[in-house]
Amino acid sequence: MNQCTAVALLPPPDHMVALSVPGHRPEAGHVLCELGEDHGHAHAAILWDEGGRPGSAVWARWDAERTELVPLPWCSALDTRDEACGLFAGHPSGHSWQVTDPTHEAITRHLAEQHPHLFPEFREGGGGG
């Protein structure tokens, strides 16, 4: 499934503004939803992880009315290669290995055409992602 394309603009936290050098206010930054499209719940993007402790990952969650920062535990699911899901526990939609970023895929395909020696997985069978 393709990745959701929702984007949110997060203003800098008040403490960062207070600590900034006069005339050099921190700028707002955008986050892109990491869930699969049509997830039907609030959007989500990881902001940081404070060391893997339960609930140490801080996520931005947003909908049309509000945005909040929430600590959430990691999803415990593993894929067939024992790689952990990169989303939070109880997330809607598929696990991270089931979600495809179409922009990333398009860029990778273009680079593979330009530099096939760097992308051997695209040589055999024309595949990838």
Side-chain angles (χ1 to χ4, degrees):
M1 83 184 63
N2 281 336
Q3 183 175 344
C4 177
T5 58
V7 176
L9 190 62
L10 299 179
D14 291 339
H15 69 277
M16 293 296 291
V17 173
L19 294 172
S20 65
V21 176
H24 296 282
R25 177 184 160 96
E27 295 183 25
H30 74 277
V31 291
L32 175 64
C33 183
E34 297 180 39
L35 301 173
E37 61 188 356
D38 299 325
H39 52 79
H41 293 76
H43 302 287
I46 182 74
L47 296 179
W48 68 83
D49 183 13
E50 296 178 353
R53 294 180 316 279
S56 65
V58 177
W59 291 78
R61 301 293 316 266
W62 72 94
D63 59 23
E65 283 116 39
R66 62 183 249 184
T67 300
E68 62 181 345
L69 305 185
V70 293
L72 297 169
W74 289 102
C75 177
S76 60
L78 300 174
D79 72 1
T80 57
R81 298 166 301 199
D82 287 336
E83 291 185 30
C85 177
L87 300 172
F88 56 91
H91 60 84
S93 75
H95 296 292
S96 60
W97 59 82
Q98 297 168 315
V99 177
T100 301
D101 177 349
T103 302
H104 181 268
E105 288 292 314
I107 291 168
T108 301
R109 289 186 193 289
H110 177 74
L111 290 173
E113 290 171 6
Q114 300 295 314
H115 309 282
H117 63 286
L118 298 175
F119 298 88
E121 66 274 17
F122 281 85
R123 275 189 244 154
E124 302 286 328

